[in-house]
Amino acid sequence: MNHFWSVWAAVGTIVFFVLMVLIVVKYWRSNHKADKDRVLDTFDGIDENDGPPPKLLFVSYFIAFAISFGYLILYPGVGSWKGLMGYDQANDKLSSPTTTLEQEFTGLTDDSLLALAAEPAIVNSGRILFQTHCAACHRDNAQGAKHFPNLIDNEWLYGGSDEAIIHSIELGRNGAMPGWVDVLRPDEISKISYYLASLNQRHTDVPEIKVQLGKELFIKNCASCHGDGSVPNIETGVPDLADNIWLHGGSIEEIQHTIRAGLNNVMPAFGQQLTKDEILAIGAYITKARIDNNSRLARLDAASVERGEYLAMPAIVSLATVQRVENHLRAVYRLSLLLALFILRISRPM
């Protein structure tokens, strides 16, 4: 604040304070002239008398003025006056509730994500940054959702090394798969979906010949990227199609939709928005969340987790389990709708 505005603020504060004191003193001195029996006005049968304000009101005003005067003398409040206490807002913890990331990283010699995950202050900063920049897609707990990957399991499209995670945050990712609707016939797309379902050892109630034909079509049209479907490629982000993790839905219908329409997955780059330390902090938070999740899973029976017996514990439920439940609920909804339509039809008067 320059000198002019400092003087302006000081004069305004002092003048306003003095005026308030004078107004209260004026009414206090004339308070004895009030007559509670004199009627000033009447409205709707109600009289307004000239009763004096209670003395407690004036006492409260004078106490407030005394406290305000003392505050303005001891602390900043009048222009650039620093106050007799020498108070500086920069020393107030409330004005800087947390240390900066630069301070949190000071003295650290190991900036690997595993080492940073052991630093509570950095993990907490990473959590706050994650909530701000990443939670809209990956959810607050980093478990992702349909079309957005789970970041706390051990399945990574582009690898889970420090370099791969930092690359994903800093430079983003762009994974594309072409649509085959103009190349393959509907029945061929169906056969490929049956083959992919068979890789998960799922029962599809289709003849084995269709699965074999689907495999031949898959090798012919898809093997250049996916191989036989069971081998991921973290260099290009090609997923393992033989596991039970389906980012875009693993039902027969959803697999067929993916083959027909293709995909264009884009994760934006944050290198221009976040500093190096902020990116490391987010990586540390993700790593800590993954370690904690692995620790929770290790205390449970693996077979029970696979069967979904721990579905009531959202912190450890796999995305594949959630997707299977969603598919079952969707089927129940369709059956319920058909049943309702049938009941409406037979209940109509002939």
Side-chain angles (χ1 to χ4, degrees), residues 8-73:
W8 175 272
V11 171
T13 301
I14 295 173
V15 169
F16 180 78
F17 183 81
V18 171
L19 285 176
M20 287 296 299
V21 172
L22 291 177
I23 290 173
V24 173
V25 170
K26 174 184 178 298
Y27 280 100
W28 174 67
R29 296 184 62 181
S30 62
N31 193 42
H32 67 281
K33 299 179 181 179
D35 183 3
K36 64 179 181 179
D37 296 323
R38 184 164 65 95
V39 177
L40 297 176
D41 197 4
T42 301
F43 179 78
D44 200 17
I46 301 175
D47 295 336
E48 179 185 355
N49 292 352
D50 185 22
K55 292 182 179 180
L56 179 62
L57 177 64
F58 294 104
V59 172
S60 301
Y61 271 124
F62 290 132
I63 292 176
F65 289 146
I67 294 175
S68 300
F69 181 77
Y71 177 88
L72 293 176
I73 294 297

XYZ file of all heavy atoms in Angstrom, residues 8-73:
536
model
N -5.242 7.620 3.434
C -6.678 7.584 3.166
C -7.388 6.582 4.089
O -8.420 6.903 4.700
C -6.909 7.220 1.704
C -8.361 7.030 1.322
C -9.086 5.896 1.390
C -9.245 8.045 0.823
N -10.368 6.099 0.953
C -10.502 7.417 0.595
C -9.102 9.407 0.536
C -11.598 8.117 0.100
C -10.193 10.095 0.032
C -11.430 9.452 -0.169
N -6.831 5.390 4.207
C -7.429 4.364 5.057
C -7.381 4.775 6.529
O -8.343 4.564 7.280
C -6.714 3.032 4.859
N -6.264 5.390 6.942
C -6.125 5.796 8.342
C -7.135 6.888 8.688
O -7.815 6.822 9.726
C -4.701 6.274 8.603
N -7.244 7.900 7.838
C -8.185 8.990 8.094
C -9.617 8.468 8.110
O -10.420 8.820 8.983
C -8.023 10.105 7.030
C -9.143 11.140 7.149
C -6.664 10.779 7.178
N -9.966 7.621 7.148
C -11.316 7.077 7.105
C -11.651 6.280 8.358
O -12.753 6.395 8.912
N -10.717 5.462 8.821
C -10.957 4.649 10.019
C -11.143 5.528 11.253
O -12.079 5.323 12.050
C -9.775 3.687 10.246
O -9.616 2.848 9.097
C -10.010 2.816 11.478
N -10.280 6.518 11.410
C -10.346 7.394 12.592
C -11.623 8.226 12.586
O -12.311 8.354 13.613
C -9.100 8.294 12.662
C -7.845 7.432 12.895
C -9.246 9.343 13.756
C -6.548 8.210 12.808
N -11.953 8.803 11.416
C -13.165 9.632 11.319
C -14.409 8.810 11.626
O -15.295 9.244 12.385
C -13.262 10.266 9.923
C -14.639 10.916 9.708
C -12.163 11.318 9.742
N -14.502 7.607 11.060
C -15.672 6.763 11.313
C -15.761 6.396 12.792
O -16.855 6.421 13.391
C -15.579 5.495 10.466
C -16.729 4.558 10.657
C -17.947 4.804 10.041
C -16.603 3.447 11.473
C -19.016 3.947 10.215
C -17.669 2.579 11.657
C -18.886 2.831 11.031
N -14.631 6.084 13.408
C -14.626 5.710 14.825
C -15.078 6.883 15.704
O -15.910 6.717 16.619
C -13.221 5.260 15.227
C -13.112 4.775 16.635
C -13.492 3.488 16.972
C -12.635 5.605 17.648
C -13.393 3.029 18.280
C -12.541 5.163 18.957
C -12.923 3.869 19.270
N -14.552 8.065 15.403
C -14.915 9.247 16.201
C -16.393 9.577 16.043
O -17.085 9.904 17.018
C -14.044 10.452 15.794
C -14.554 11.741 16.454
C -12.589 10.201 16.181
N -16.908 9.497 14.813
C -18.331 9.777 14.590
C -19.212 8.813 15.371
O -20.225 9.215 15.965
C -18.648 9.687 13.096
C -18.166 10.856 12.216
C -18.462 10.571 10.747
C -18.832 12.156 12.652
N -18.864 7.521 15.370
C -19.653 6.549 16.115
C -19.653 6.879 17.613
O -20.683 6.801 18.293
C -19.092 5.144 15.887
C -19.371 4.583 14.501
S -21.141 4.355 14.205
C -21.562 3.181 15.478
N -18.500 7.275 18.138
C -18.415 7.616 19.558
C -19.271 8.844 19.860
O -20.022 8.880 20.858
C -16.951 7.864 19.962
C -16.871 8.405 21.394
C -16.143 6.577 19.856
N -19.178 9.855 19.003
C -19.947 11.088 19.222
C -21.452 10.824 19.177
O -22.213 11.397 19.970
C -19.558 12.132 18.175
C -18.135 12.706 18.293
C -17.857 13.674 17.157
C -17.945 13.405 19.651
N -21.889 9.984 18.244
C -23.320 9.697 18.141
C -23.827 9.006 19.408
O -24.873 9.365 19.964
C -23.596 8.823 16.901
C -23.373 9.637 15.622
C -25.025 8.260 16.930
C -23.449 8.816 14.361
N -23.085 8.024 19.883
C -23.500 7.311 21.086
C -23.475 8.256 22.299
O -24.389 8.240 23.156
C -22.594 6.095 21.328
C -22.906 5.443 22.673
C -22.778 5.084 20.208
N -22.431 9.131 22.405
C -22.350 10.088 23.518
C -23.529 11.053 23.476
O -24.116 11.394 24.531
C -21.012 10.845 23.469
C -21.011 12.010 24.458
C -19.859 9.898 23.791
N -23.895 11.506 22.277
C -25.021 12.439 22.143
C -26.302 11.825 22.703
O -27.026 12.454 23.486
C -25.201 12.816 20.677
C -26.442 13.664 20.399
C -26.597 13.919 18.920
C -27.871 14.737 18.660
N -29.089 14.027 19.090
N -26.595 10.591 22.303
C -27.832 9.961 22.777
C -27.750 9.622 24.271
O -28.763 9.648 24.986
C -28.116 8.695 21.966
C -28.753 8.994 20.625
C -28.005 9.005 19.463
C -30.114 9.282 20.545
C -28.589 9.286 18.243
C -30.711 9.559 19.326
C -29.945 9.567 18.169
O -30.532 9.862 16.972
N -26.548 9.349 24.751
C -26.396 9.073 26.183
C -26.671 10.313 27.025
O -27.321 10.257 28.063
C -24.982 8.535 26.434
C -24.678 8.362 27.895
C -25.237 7.484 28.757
C -23.738 9.134 28.656
N -24.718 7.620 30.010
C -23.775 8.646 29.977
C -22.857 10.188 28.349
C -22.980 9.166 30.991
C -22.057 10.695 29.353
C -22.131 10.187 30.645
N -26.184 11.482 26.542
C -26.374 12.727 27.277
C -27.819 13.198 27.248
O -28.278 13.887 28.165
C -25.458 13.802 26.698
C -23.970 13.484 26.854
C -23.092 14.606 26.360
N -23.321 15.834 27.131
C -22.668 16.981 26.877
N -21.791 17.046 25.874
N -22.913 18.049 27.610
N -28.539 12.856 26.161
C -29.946 13.278 26.078
C -30.906 12.199 26.572
O -32.125 12.351 26.445
C -30.286 13.662 24.632
O -30.128 12.540 23.774
N -30.355 11.125 27.123
C -31.203 10.016 27.535
C -32.142 10.405 28.687
O -33.264 9.894 28.782
C -30.322 8.835 27.949
C -31.124 7.558 28.094
O -31.994 7.273 27.279
N -30.838 6.786 29.142
N -31.684 11.345 29.577
C -32.498 11.721 30.729
C -33.735 12.520 30.342
O -34.662 12.680 31.132
C -31.647 12.518 31.723
C -31.219 13.853 31.176
N -30.166 14.008 30.293
C -31.719 15.115 31.400
C -30.008 15.285 29.987
N -30.947 15.984 30.663
N -33.738 13.048 29.097
C -34.892 13.840 28.670
C -36.053 12.970 28.204
O -37.145 13.476 27.947
C -34.481 14.779 27.523
C -33.403 15.784 27.901
C -33.035 16.645 26.714
C -31.930 17.654 27.074
N -31.561 18.483 25.903
N -35.829 11.701 28.029
C -36.898 10.818 27.556
C -37.982 10.689 28.614
O -37.710 10.669 29.819
C -36.319 9.449 27.216
N -39.245 10.598 28.145
C -40.409 10.460 29.040
C -41.192 9.228 28.607
O -41.832 9.237 27.552
C -41.279 11.710 28.969
C -42.468 11.647 29.931
O -42.551 10.650 30.684
O -43.287 12.583 29.908
N -41.145 8.219 29.407
C -41.786 6.966 29.022
C -43.302 7.063 28.980
O -43.973 6.198 28.415
C -41.367 5.848 29.969
C -41.828 6.068 31.400
C -41.403 4.914 32.283
C -41.886 5.123 33.723
N -41.498 3.976 34.591
N -43.862 8.136 29.611
C -45.325 8.288 29.606
C -45.814 9.115 28.418
O -47.030 9.240 28.219
C -45.784 8.950 30.915
C -45.475 8.071 32.125
O -45.598 6.833 31.972
O -45.102 8.607 33.186
N -44.906 9.709 27.666
C -45.302 10.531 26.517
C -45.465 9.655 25.292
O -44.571 8.874 24.950
C -44.254 11.605 26.260
C -44.645 12.584 25.127
C -43.762 13.824 25.187
N -42.383 13.524 24.914
C -41.808 13.645 23.698
N -42.532 14.063 22.664
N -40.538 13.362 23.544
N -46.608 9.780 24.631
C -46.906 8.997 23.439
C -46.411 9.743 22.209
O -46.820 10.879 21.945
C -48.416 8.707 23.317
C -48.710 7.940 22.030
C -48.922 7.940 24.531
N -45.530 9.087 21.444
C -44.990 9.699 20.232
C -45.889 9.444 19.027
O -46.080 10.315 18.173
C -43.591 9.152 19.938
C -42.513 9.456 20.994
C -41.209 8.770 20.605
C -42.293 10.961 21.128
N -46.462 8.254 18.939
C -47.282 7.917 17.783
C -48.143 6.709 18.147
O -47.844 5.969 19.088
C -46.407 7.591 16.574
C -47.207 7.635 15.267
O -48.401 7.994 15.326
O -46.625 7.298 14.215
N -49.236 6.565 17.418
C -50.139 5.436 17.613
C -50.459 4.818 16.270
O -50.769 5.539 15.309
C -51.442 5.877 18.306
O -51.134 6.461 19.575
C -52.366 4.681 18.517
N -50.392 3.528 16.235
C -50.706 2.824 14.991
C -51.455 1.548 15.313
O -50.976 0.727 16.095
C -49.425 2.483 14.208
C -49.675 1.734 12.936
C -50.129 2.387 11.806
C -49.487 0.356 12.872
C -50.368 1.700 10.637
C -49.734 -0.337 11.707
C -50.173 0.330 10.571
N -52.654 1.451 14.745
C -53.468 0.249 14.911
C -53.703 -0.079 16.382
O -53.659 -1.235 16.797
C -52.797 -0.928 14.204
C -53.788 -2.071 13.914
O -55.009 -1.807 13.970
O -53.326 -3.197 13.660
N -53.899 0.972 17.135
C -54.195 0.783 18.551
C -52.987 0.539 19.428
O -53.128 0.256 20.619
N -51.787 0.646 18.862
C -50.561 0.406 19.615
C -49.827 1.732 19.787
O -49.545 2.430 18.799
C -49.667 -0.624 18.899
C -50.407 -1.954 18.729
C -48.358 -0.836 19.663
C -49.654 -2.965 17.927
N -49.504 2.078 21.031
C -48.817 3.336 21.326
C -47.305 3.150 21.311
O -46.774 2.143 21.797
C -49.227 3.864 22.703
C -50.704 4.249 22.761
O -51.263 4.539 21.679
O -51.278 4.239 23.865
N -46.656 4.164 20.739
C -45.194 4.206 20.773
C -44.790 5.294 21.754
O -44.977 6.484 21.479
C -44.609 4.485 19.388
C -43.094 4.554 19.404
C -42.510 4.958 18.058
O -43.281 5.083 17.089
O -41.294 5.157 18.000
N -44.238 4.913 22.890
C -43.863 5.857 23.929
C -42.403 6.273 23.793
O -41.598 5.601 23.151
C -44.100 5.259 25.313
C -45.582 5.066 25.602
O -46.437 5.512 24.833
N -45.886 4.404 26.714
N -42.084 7.371 24.439
C -40.732 7.924 24.410
C -39.918 7.351 25.570
O -39.424 8.074 26.434
C -40.803 9.457 24.505
C -39.436 10.101 24.370
O -38.535 9.436 23.807
O -39.261 11.234 24.856
N -39.748 6.002 25.563
C -39.004 5.361 26.637
C -37.511 5.456 26.408
O -37.036 5.361 25.268
N -36.723 5.662 27.455
C -35.265 5.757 27.296
C -34.642 4.389 27.031
O -35.117 3.371 27.538
C -34.814 6.306 28.651
C -35.835 5.789 29.611
C -37.144 5.790 28.858
N -33.570 4.337 26.209
C -32.847 3.068 26.042
C -32.251 2.624 27.368
O -31.901 3.457 28.208
C -31.748 3.406 25.023
C -32.203 4.668 24.367
C -32.995 5.418 25.402
N -32.114 1.342 27.580
C -31.532 0.873 28.844
C -30.065 1.275 28.955
O -29.339 1.358 27.957
C -31.690 -0.639 28.759
C -31.806 -0.946 27.305
C -32.503 0.236 26.694
N -29.620 1.534 30.184
C -28.241 1.939 30.407
C -27.252 0.849 29.965
O -26.117 1.155 29.598
C -28.041 2.270 31.877
C -28.794 3.521 32.323
C -28.500 3.817 33.786
C -29.233 5.086 34.235
N -28.959 5.410 35.669
N -27.705 -0.407 30.026
C -26.826 -1.506 29.625
C -26.382 -1.364 28.175
O -25.250 -1.733 27.821
C -27.556 -2.851 29.822
C -26.770 -4.108 29.432
C -25.514 -4.237 30.283
C -27.647 -5.347 29.569
N -27.264 -0.792 27.334
C -26.912 -0.601 25.920
C -25.723 0.342 25.783
O -24.775 0.075 25.033
C -28.124 -0.070 25.164
C -27.895 0.255 23.683
C -27.555 -1.016 22.902
C -29.120 0.935 23.082
N -25.758 1.455 26.532
C -24.659 2.419 26.443
C -23.375 1.855 27.058
O -22.280 2.083 26.541
C -25.062 3.721 27.152
C -26.178 4.446 26.472
C -27.461 4.410 26.985
C -25.957 5.182 25.316
C -28.500 5.087 26.367
C -26.984 5.858 24.681
C -28.271 5.803 25.203
N -23.522 1.115 28.149
C -22.345 0.488 28.746
C -21.685 -0.460 27.757
O -20.457 -0.496 27.610
C -22.730 -0.255 30.044
C -21.551 -1.069 30.564
C -23.208 0.721 31.106
N -22.514 -1.241 27.019
C -21.983 -2.171 26.016
C -21.259 -1.435 24.905
O -20.186 -1.859 24.443
C -23.126 -3.013 25.438
O -23.781 -3.743 26.448
N -21.844 -0.306 24.466
C -21.194 0.501 23.430
C -19.828 0.989 23.908
O -18.825 0.887 23.180
C -22.068 1.701 23.060
C -23.060 1.421 21.960
C -24.424 1.643 22.162
C -22.637 0.983 20.710
C -25.343 1.404 21.151
C -23.545 0.742 19.700
C -24.900 0.941 19.924
O -25.800 0.698 18.914
N -19.757 1.534 25.114
C -18.504 2.087 25.606
C -17.444 1.001 25.801
O -16.266 1.227 25.558
C -18.751 2.850 26.913
C -19.515 4.136 26.717
C -20.603 4.456 27.520
C -19.152 5.030 25.713
C -21.309 5.639 27.329
C -19.859 6.223 25.511
C -20.937 6.508 26.327
N -17.875 -0.173 26.232
C -16.920 -1.290 26.346
C -16.385 -1.666 24.970
O -15.181 -1.903 24.789
C -17.599 -2.499 27.020
C -17.897 -2.193 28.492
C -16.713 -3.746 26.903
C -18.658 -3.301 29.198
N -17.280 -1.734 23.963
C -16.858 -2.062 22.595
C -15.908 -1.003 22.044
O -14.907 -1.329 21.392
C -18.085 -2.192 21.700
N -16.186 0.284 22.344
C -15.295 1.349 21.875
C -13.921 1.233 22.531
O -12.889 1.436 21.876
C -15.907 2.722 22.194
C -17.114 3.059 21.359
C -18.158 3.812 21.883
C -17.210 2.615 20.051
C -19.258 4.121 21.114
C -18.309 2.912 19.269
C -19.349 3.664 19.801
N -13.908 0.920 23.819
C -12.633 0.792 24.530
C -11.802 -0.354 23.959
O -10.581 -0.223 23.749
C -12.893 0.587 26.026
N -12.464 -1.506 23.707
C -11.754 -2.651 23.133
C -11.244 -2.321 21.733
O -10.104 -2.648 21.370
C -12.683 -3.884 23.095
C -13.009 -4.338 24.522
C -12.036 -5.029 22.305
C -14.023 -5.468 24.590
N -12.069 -1.659 20.925
C -11.665 -1.291 19.560
C -10.486 -0.332 19.586
O -9.531 -0.469 18.799
C -12.851 -0.642 18.828
O -13.939 -1.522 18.752
N -10.535 0.662 20.483
C -9.435 1.620 20.579
C -8.143 0.913 20.968
O -7.081 1.172 20.399
C -9.797 2.706 21.605
C -8.748 3.758 21.758
C -8.587 4.764 20.808
C -7.878 3.748 22.863
C -7.602 5.727 20.942
C -6.898 4.700 22.999
C -6.747 5.697 22.040
N -8.244 0.017 21.951
C -7.053 -0.728 22.359
C -6.512 -1.597 21.240
O -5.287 -1.692 21.052
N -7.392 -2.221 20.471
C -6.953 -3.071 19.357
C -6.216 -2.241 18.309
O -5.156 -2.647 17.803
C -8.160 -3.770 18.724
C -7.809 -4.621 17.521
C -7.438 -5.949 17.670
C -7.834 -4.079 16.239
C -7.088 -6.724 16.574
C -7.489 -4.837 15.133
C -7.119 -6.161 15.308
O -6.777 -6.912 14.214
N -6.781 -1.059 17.972
C -6.164 -0.218 16.940
C -4.817 0.328 17.386
O -3.980 0.678 16.544
C -7.105 0.935 16.572
C -8.410 0.528 15.872
C -9.300 1.735 15.645
C -8.121 -0.166 14.535
N -4.608 0.413 18.700
C -3.310 0.865 19.206
C -2.299 -0.282 19.195
O -1.135 -0.108 18.824
C -3.448 1.429 20.630
C -4.295 2.717 20.614
C -2.080 1.709 21.239
C -3.679 3.851 19.813
